């Protein structure tokens, strides 16, 4: 599916953000991830649990059931499932058949985010779990958006930061951002894009945060960790020295068909206890995301309204985007070939 | 279509409930039944009439027309149809061509329900009309729900009464209902499931109705008259003797694609004139149906959201359900083979 | 697609009404026409401009961009397009590739309506532009409706004026309108239907306009200029002489898939400055269009709800309608054959 090749959806054998850590409680919660229903709950010892969200008997949503002694009981005919997915009980018969077992998804709760491995549980690899914490930085604000659009459009958006000058004009972008040279580096499952703007106007949102409106040198970049996370940095200095440094994690997870979960956490390394600054960051982040989401949804509507799926015209500034798309395609194809 | 085999929809040469008797008045009313539009009106002599709901000329809904001397005139270009479906007049020409005739569906108004034969009118057979009245019982309450889901899910629901303990916990179900032995009998076009719970807790809704909260012996069962009706009984006795007996008719009729009409009438054989009791039954019936409809619609959404149509895992308690589904499939296949 | 043959949509190499003239301003506006997105804006010299509404780079709606010195800049990554569709600038590179050029649609602004040629710009032919102004008549009222239905249903509606007696009973129609003889004339790309009702009751809406309720002679007709416009006349006379003459232009333009734009302008040749009369016309036009739109949308819903696409039964009064449909089909087929 555009912008990937036809019939390619997304890698499944990877870690994706499923939820904020504090969303998972003792009460079952359904969330669709990678076009599958998943039910989450927290066991009495605090462990986050993720099971297939559909009872295999009659397809009733297990999130409408209840947790009984750390097991999940279906609310329709009473089948009981253990946190490891085994069916423990079928009320109408004396034993529980193995055919009733369901998938338990590997999950990792890092305190901020709950990560899920939606593919083959046997291949879940903790060494692949992204690290999002950095010394000296503290998460200041976070935001979630449910996006009515295919997930790759959000990746496309972050893979081409030249959009800051136009889509975020009057916000986090300023004139000239699209023209500066882009430095690109890449690895097997990541691609990084970096830019430096010297003696540039300070973008409006940052003027408000710094209380400074003079010229700045801005260094900013974004690393796309395929397939689920972008980590960006944004650093400002004025003639008198550094003004501040930010770090933003963008977690992108396909939800239901045509729907994407977008989780964002932004941190800074200065004035960590300044609440007014945090409020300002929160407001700036919200407005920026609203612009990104509106653009993504407008493109989704455009694509789906056209009689035929459109093809891109590629320009020089698309090199990082094209690299990123290729990494996604390679990862999906390797997975489909069983590797 | 799940839970039936692919491409099997529903029997057409059978009686289905189309409406409550008092819904049919002199004014035309459209209702989609078995994925066909039907227009109903009552003639001046009181006879309920059902015609194809679509004008054959330009597909205008005939229910937007008007009744003129017991005939129905289309509201678009004025074609007139007799209660037997013959086109009597085309305003722009002197005669009415036979090509403009429409189907008149056989209907039976039994005073409570209006039954329709949506298939071949020539095969309509009054001896097949279900009887829903029973001596000593009087209909106390009735309810209608428009269900956003395929009709077979409602049959599945009634074909497995073990759901009472879980879906209707705190209502008409109580602990242990799912475990008791099920007695099953069947015929060519029906299957009956019966259970007896001895010394069981009285379910909350019935405690309220009887003003009694001690242990009960409960005998309950359901007969599925394929393809359109379930008739259930529910009988309670305490240590001091009978508490009360109920009888519930569930009429299930496919509507538009993916939509089902669900008509329910409940009767009792005791305290027939007790209005408070009737109000209590009404409230209990409404809550129970809301739970059934919510479950049905949740399953429908689950099935249609999945990338592939799911397959059931069958357990022992599904024997009646499987029998019922087979009766539906046989009836549909016989009809497709012209028998 | 019904009522045309399968796979036939609409002629593209023709003039269609895109907007009211005063809708086009300096600010970009998106409108879907013939299932394509188009962005309109007015240049500083007042010229109406219509470009493909989709940026070829990432499919962002160009209407969300801004006009800079008569050029349109995409709001996502800043590509700039001239009014003739040439891409003038891609910010991330020093030159603009021809692959980024977009289509500029020929437009004509006649002061009332903006006409667009949605097909091949090289074939745009000003001599084919319909003339809608008539000496002695002045446009009194206009109305727009967004119709949720395929455009041909609106043509079908106007191609059979026998509907006045039934659909517009109590409004612009009166008894007998459907029975009078129809006179039909036709050309290569038009068909005209005319009727005369002698000594007929004055229809309610016109009673109100004329302040007269006696018998009338009414002459009325409609010319369908395939594929985008109907021009109708409606003339009334009483025993004491002429009561008034009306002229109504109906512009029908396919929008998004399954949606149609319907623009109507009505004029008269009497009491041109009578504001109360104009208000009366406005009210009568609005009610009439609401009836037409309700019928169209009811038929659209009927057709799309049926399991199979229905076929018409044709009657004598359909001769004009069948002629009109054939003209549409011929025009589309000629276009598909490259002629």
């Amino acid at each position: 599916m555009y912008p990937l090749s036809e019939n390619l959806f997304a890698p499944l054998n990877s870690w994706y953000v499923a939820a904020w850590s504090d969303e998972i409680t003792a009460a079952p919660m359904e969330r669709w991830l990678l076009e599958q229903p998943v039910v989450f709950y927290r066991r009495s010892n605090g462990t986050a649990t993720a099971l297939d969200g559909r009872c295999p008997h009659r397809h009733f949503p297990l999130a409408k059931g209840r947790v009984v002694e750390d097991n999940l009981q279906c609310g329709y005919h009473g089948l009981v499932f253990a946190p490891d997915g085994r069916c423990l009980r079928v009320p109408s018969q004396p034993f529980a058949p193995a055919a009733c077992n369901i998938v338990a998804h590997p999950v990792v709760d890092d305190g901020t985010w709950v990560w899920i491995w939606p593919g083959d549980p046997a291949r879940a690899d903790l060494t692949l779990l992204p690290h999002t914490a950095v010394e000296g930085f503290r998460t200041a604000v976070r935001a979630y958006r449910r996006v009515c659009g295919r997930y790759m459009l959000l990746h496309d958006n972050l893979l081409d930061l030249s959009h800051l000058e136009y889509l975020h004009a009057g916000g986090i972008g300023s004139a000239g951002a699209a023209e500066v040279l882009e430095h690109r580096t890449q690895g097997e499952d990541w691609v990084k894009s970096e830019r430096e703007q010297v003696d540039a106007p300070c973008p409006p949102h940052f003027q408000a945060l710094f209380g400074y409106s003079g010229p700045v040198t801005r260094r900013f970049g974004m690393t796309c960790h395929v397939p689920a996370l972008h980590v960006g940095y944004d650093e400002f200095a004025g003639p008198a020295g550094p003004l501040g440094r930010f770090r933003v994690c963008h977690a992108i997870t396909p939800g239901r068909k045509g729907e994407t979960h977008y989780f964002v956490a932004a941190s800074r390394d200065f004035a960590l206890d300044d609440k007014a600054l945090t409020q300002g960051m929160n407001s700036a982040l919200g407005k920026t995301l609203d612009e990104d989401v509106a653009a993504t949804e407008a493109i989704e509507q455009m694509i789906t309204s056209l009689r035929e799926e459109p093809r891109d015209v590629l320009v020089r500034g698309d090199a990082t985007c094209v690299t990123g798309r290729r990494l996604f395609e390679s990862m999906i194809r390797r997975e489909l070939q069983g590797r």
Side-chain angles (χ1 to χ4, degrees), chain A residues 278-290:
Chain A
T278 298
Q279 283 185 345
M281 271 182 74
N282 195 48
S283 165
L285 178 66
K287 287 177 185 169
T288 304
L289 292 187
D290 287 343

Side-chain angles (χ1 to χ4, degrees), chain A residues 43-296:
Chain A
R43 279 182 258 176
S44 47
N45 70 0
T47 310
T49 303
L51 296 173
D52 186 359
R54 174 181 67 86
C55 182
H57 174 237
R58 282 291 177 277
H59 322 309
F60 193 70
L62 288 175
K64 291 182 182 289
R66 61 189 184 127
V67 177
V68 183
E69 292 174 9
D70 281 358
N71 301 313
L72 185 58
Q73 180 166 42
C74 180
Y76 198 10
H77 299 99
L79 278 70
V80 177
F81 302 93
D84 65 358
R86 272 180 311 126
C87 182
L88 300 177
R89 180 166 176 246
V90 176
S92 59
Q93 65 187 53
F95 63 93
C100 287
N101 294 348
I102 59 176
V103 170
H105 296 285
V107 282
V108 175
D109 181 349
D110 71 12
T112 299
W113 281 328
V114 174
W115 298 82
I116 193 170
W117 180 275
D120 179 1
R123 301 185 72 160
D125 183 348
L126 282 174
T127 66
L128 296 177
L129 195 73
H131 295 282
T132 57
V134 179
E135 208 175 328
F137 283 79
R138 194 201 291 166
T139 297
V141 297
R142 67 184 209 185
Y144 168 81
R145 294 289 185 279
R146 176 181 169 270
V147 183
C148 293
R150 60 198 73 184
Y151 78 96
M152 274 303 298
L153 297 180
L154 286 170
H155 288 295
D156 271 11
N157 183 58
L158 295 173
L159 285 163
D160 183 355
L161 294 186
S162 76
H163 80 268
L164 262 62
E165 180 174 350
Y166 300 98
L167 187 63
H168 303 307
I172 63 164
S174 60
E179 286 87 349
V180 293
L181 208 62
E182 182 192 11
H183 298 274
R184 186 174 55 263
T185 46
Q186 68 181 92
E188 203 187 326
D189 60 359
W190 60 269
V191 56
K192 184 175 191 174
S193 163
E194 302 182 272
R195 285 175 169 85
E196 181 170 349
Q197 263 189 290
V198 179
D199 204 23
C202 188
H205 277 338
F206 294 102
Q207 288 183 28
L209 293 180
F210 301 140
Y212 168 84
S213 59
V216 294
T217 291
R218 180 184 192 179
R219 295 181 50 243
F220 61 106
M222 188 74 77
T223 306
C224 174
H225 298 279
V226 180
L229 182 75
H230 290 247
V231 181
Y233 68 85
D234 208 352
E235 306 181 356
F236 292 83
L243 288 163
R245 302 194 303 168
F246 302 91
R247 205 152 167 292
V248 185
C249 290
H250 305 257
I252 295 168
T253 309
R256 285 180 190 266
K257 196 168 164 53
E259 175 208 65
T260 304
H261 305 288
Y262 189 14
F263 303 85
V264 182
S267 58
R268 65 177 186 267
D269 73 343
F270 65 102
L272 298 179
D273 298 317
D274 183 334
K275 287 184 180 172
L277 186 57
T278 298
Q279 283 185 345
M281 271 182 74
N282 195 48
S283 165
L285 178 66
K287 287 177 185 169
T288 304
L289 292 187
D290 287 343
E291 289 162 353
D292 287 318
V293 170
T296 302

